[in-house]
Every structure is written in C-alpha cells, then in structure tokens.
C-alpha cells in the first residue's frame, strides 16, 4: 500500500513510518520540521524509516511542508491508501503560550486532511488524539464516555480534531479511527518530556527536577505498543468510526517515576522540586477495555521494564542523542 504519515519526522510518526516501511509498504512523510526541539532527532527518525524502506525494497519519500498547505495535502492524500495523521503542534505549555498557532495546525490542518480524504478513495485515516482531551477527572481510569473538559488549548484542539474525524465518518462514510494516546515514551522521544529530562539529568550526575509536588499521575505507554496498534489498523476495519484510548495498565506518580530512573542510574542523587507547569493535567489513567474489545489491544511493556529499555537505549545512543536533549 501507499501510506502517508503526516508529522512523520516526529517521535511517534517516525516510528510508525519506520514500522510500515519495514513491512514493505511505500511511505510518504509530510513534516514541516519546525524547531520545537532540536531537529537532529527528527533527522534520525527520517534516517531510520528510510533505512527500513531500503532494506524491505519499499520507497520512502520525504516532503517538507505543512499540514496547513491545502493544495499540498490534497496532492499527497490523492496518492495514499492509508493516512496516519500524526502532525500537530505539540506541547501543552506551548499551547498556553500560542493558542492560535495550535488551533491552526491541529484543527485547521486536520480539516485540510479530512477534506482531502473525503475527495479521494482512502482505506482509512488514523488520527492521533490525546489523553489531554479529558482534563479534570471525574473518575479514574478514564473511559471513552468520561466527560471531556480539557484544561489547555492543546487538549481543546485534539478534542476538536477527533470529533471532526468522527463526524466525517458518520456523515461522509470516511473510514476514520482516533487514538487517544497516553504519555508515549521510548527511543528517539522528544527531549522536553519528564522521562527524558530525568534520565538526562541523572546520567550527568544532576538531580531530577519535578515540577509540582510529584503526586501527579500518568499512564506511560511504550512506543512499541503504540506502533503495534497503528500497524494493525493498516488492514483492520473493526475500529472504523471509533475513538479509542491507547494507554498502558501502568499508572505511576511522577515522584515514583523520578525515583525509578534515579535508582537505576545513581541512587545517591536527591530529587528537586520546581513550580508546577501551567496547563498540565493532574492525573491521567486509561481504561483500555474498549480498545481491547474492538482490536484486542494489550500493552506489552510495563513501566519499569520500559524505563530500563529506554535508559539502555539512551546510553547506547548517548553520543548523538544526549547533546540534542541537553540543547533543547
């Protein structure tokens, strides 16, 4: 198949592009290479996916451009069988600073994609949503019926985009699936995340810094589990029209996460605390029973195993990855 991955230079999009190319599918990546973090990480994502395509005999085409470029999006969608829509202005805190920009990329850009998909014969559009749509919990874990009251412009933009995808399925019959990701981590992850910062600081003999009191909780979902469910949707139509949580069964508070990272690298380090970050949710915790019922989804990597895998990968790739993390 011909597969289009928007945001395919990023962390999750890059891993999806690599996995799909390894299976022998022709991949086109659209990414605007905005320097939200050091672009050296995106260059490695591109390199990994291009290598996978070369090894499998598939093609890999990189298009530098924006999801907001309507004619470009239409041209790329016209040649695709399946679209993985991962492009977005990421970052809760960034969205607090620049809400209009987040809306332009995440909502208007998604509309460009859905309109193009409506005009062409696609097998499926798989859209990346986020646990940020839930906001303040009325109960935990969140199931898909939980009220959506996002506490950041980023969360609002993701809620709008997934609801547009649902409506395009209901009104126009466009096969769409929206996946609500819960704190994805793993090799080549973004540098400005709690886990990346904890590992980087500890490897440099610096105490991990927690913003807030550390009682905030998160589901941390290993990238392999995210990639697996996306790969399944290449050919599986059982989730068409659905919105699904894709998380882990592990819920951990940030203080414990910092301790797990610290204890594996340098138990002598103290933990420091800073002011809480505006727009961050206090708690996220996924009920994945719907994804399990519909797709048989089961996470395979628990948080302690995942932390060890990420630290080992970080050490193996420290020469190139660490400077990019430290500069971001």
């Amino acid at each position: 198949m011909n597969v289009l991955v928007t945001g395919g230079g990023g962390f999750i999009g890059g891993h999806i592009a690599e996995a799909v190319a390894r299976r022998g599918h022709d991949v086109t990546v659209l990414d605007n290479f905005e320097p939200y973090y050091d672009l050296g990480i995106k260059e490695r994502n591109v390199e990994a996916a291009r290598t996978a395509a070369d090894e499998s005999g598939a093609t890999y085409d990189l298009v530098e451009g924006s999801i907001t470029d309507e004619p470009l999006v239409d041209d790329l969608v016209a040649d695709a069988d399946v679209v993985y829509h991962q492009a977005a202005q990421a970052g809760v805190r960034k969205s607090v600073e620049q809400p209009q920009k987040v809306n332009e990329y995440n909502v208007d850009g998604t509309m460009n994609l859905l309109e193009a998909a409506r005009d062409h014969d696609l097998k499926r559009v798989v859209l990346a949503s986020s646990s940020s749509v839930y906001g303040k919990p009325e109960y935990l874990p969140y199931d898909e019926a939980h009220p959506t009251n996002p506490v950041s412009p980023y969360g609002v933009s993701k809620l709008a985009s997934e609801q547009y995808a649902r409506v395009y399925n209901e009104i126009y019959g466009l096969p769409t699936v929206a996946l609500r990701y819960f704190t994805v981590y793993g090799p080549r992850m973004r540098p400005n995340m709690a886990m990346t910062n904890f590992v980087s600081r500890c490897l440099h003999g610096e105490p991990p810094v927690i913003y807030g009191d550390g009682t905030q909780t998160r589901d941390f979902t290993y990238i392999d589990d995210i990639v697996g469910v996306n790969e399944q949707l290449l050919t599986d139509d059982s989730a068409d029209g659905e919105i699904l949580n894709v998380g882990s069964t592990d819920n951990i508070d940030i203080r414990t996460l910092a301790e797990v990272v610290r204890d594996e690298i340098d138990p002598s380090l103290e933990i420091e605390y800073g002011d809480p970050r505006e727009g961050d949710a206090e708690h996220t915790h996924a009920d994945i029973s719907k994804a399990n019922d519909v797709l048989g989804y089961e996470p395979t990597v628990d948080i302690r195993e995942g932390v060890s895998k990420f630290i080992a990968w970080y050490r193996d790739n420290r020469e190139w990855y660490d400077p990019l993390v430290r500069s971001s």
Side-chain angles (χ1 to χ4, degrees):
M1 285 189 283
N2 295 317
V3 178
L4 171 63
V5 185
T6 71
F11 169 44
I12 299 175
H15 276 274
I16 292 172
E18 179 185 0
V20 169
R22 184 172 289 115
R23 291 179 61 170
H25 300 288
D26 295 332
V27 174
T28 300
V29 159
L30 173 64
D31 202 290
N32 71 346
F33 289 88
E34 181 166 326
Y36 176 58
Y37 51 84
D38 196 302
L39 293 178
I41 299 176
K42 286 195 171 188
E43 291 167 3
R44 292 283 177 154
N45 289 328
V46 169
E47 179 185 335
R50 182 173 280 127
T51 299
D54 289 343
E55 292 174 350
S56 71
T59 62
Y60 178 92
D61 293 317
L62 175 64
V63 178
E64 187 167 350
S66 175
I67 192 70
T68 61
D69 185 338
E70 187 175 349
L72 174 61
V73 170
D74 188 76
D75 286 345
L76 296 177
V77 170
D79 293 331
D81 297 308
V82 173
V83 176
Y84 290 104
H85 180 38
Q86 311 295 306
Q89 174 61 62
V92 167
R93 290 179 291 279
K94 190 72 170 180
S95 77
V96 172
E97 297 168 2
Q98 296 180 302
Q100 286 183 307
K101 182 178 182 181
V102 168
N103 191 81
E104 178 186 3
Y105 283 172
N106 298 4
V107 182
D108 294 344
T110 298
M111 288 295 293
N112 288 340
L113 179 72
L114 292 172
E115 276 293 280
R118 183 160 74 98
D119 291 338
H120 302 287
D121 186 22
L122 291 183
K123 295 181 183 296
R124 188 158 301 105
V125 175
V126 183
L127 179 139
S129 188
S130 167
S131 59
S132 297
V133 303
Y134 290 113
K136 297 178 181 178
E138 294 189 7
Y139 56 85
L140 291 171
Y142 296 121
D143 57 28
E144 290 84 353
H146 187 284
T148 48
N149 295 298
V151 295
S152 68
Y154 174 77
V156 172
S157 73
K158 283 297 187 180
L159 180 59
S161 65
E162 71 174 27
Q163 292 299 320
Y164 272 121
R166 178 188 60 79
V167 166
Y168 270 64
N169 173 263
E170 292 184 2
I171 295 178
Y172 307 117
L174 179 66
T176 64
V177 184
L179 303 178
R180 290 175 177 169
Y181 299 150
F182 282 70
T183 315
V184 187
Y185 71 103
R188 306 196 306 268
M189 69 184 291
R190 276 172 32 206
N192 50 359
M193 304 290 285
M195 188 176 299
T196 329
N197 291 335
F198 292 163
V199 173
S200 174
R201 290 183 65 83
C202 289
L203 285 173
H204 284 268
E206 301 166 357
V209 177
I210 293 171
Y211 297 99
D213 61 9
T215 60
Q216 312 96 300
T217 60
R218 295 287 184 272
D219 270 22
F220 283 88
T221 313
Y222 198 69
I223 185 62
D224 290 359
D225 290 326
I226 296 294
V227 170
V229 72
N230 277 281
E231 281 190 280
Q232 181 178 344
L233 292 170
L234 268 174
T235 55
D236 190 335
D237 64 1
S238 56
D240 286 355
E242 299 290 350
I243 297 171
L244 302 174
N245 288 340
V246 182
S248 68
T249 54
D250 293 314
N251 190 251
I252 189 171
D253 64 78
I254 299 300
R255 182 190 297 121
T256 300
L257 175 67
E259 291 169 350
V260 169
V261 171
R262 187 260 328 258
D263 291 349
E264 178 150 341
I265 297 173
D266 185 352
S268 69
L269 294 172
E270 298 293 331
I271 294 175
E272 295 183 356
Y273 295 85
D275 293 334
R277 298 285 182 83
E278 190 173 9
D280 281 349
E282 284 295 310
H283 304 284
T284 66
H285 186 18
D287 181 336
I288 58 171
S289 57
K290 182 178 178 182
N292 178 262
D293 291 343
V294 175
L295 295 173
Y297 171 71
E298 289 281 1
T300 61
V301 181
D302 67 40
I303 184 64
R304 283 168 175 79
E305 177 189 0
V307 167
S308 293
K309 286 164 70 78
F310 178 61
I311 291 173
W313 178 87
Y314 197 123
R315 283 176 162 145
D316 288 344
N317 293 271
R318 185 170 179 175
E319 183 177 355
W320 72 265
Y321 185 65
D322 187 63
L324 303 184
V325 171
R326 303 289 286 184
S327 67
S328 296

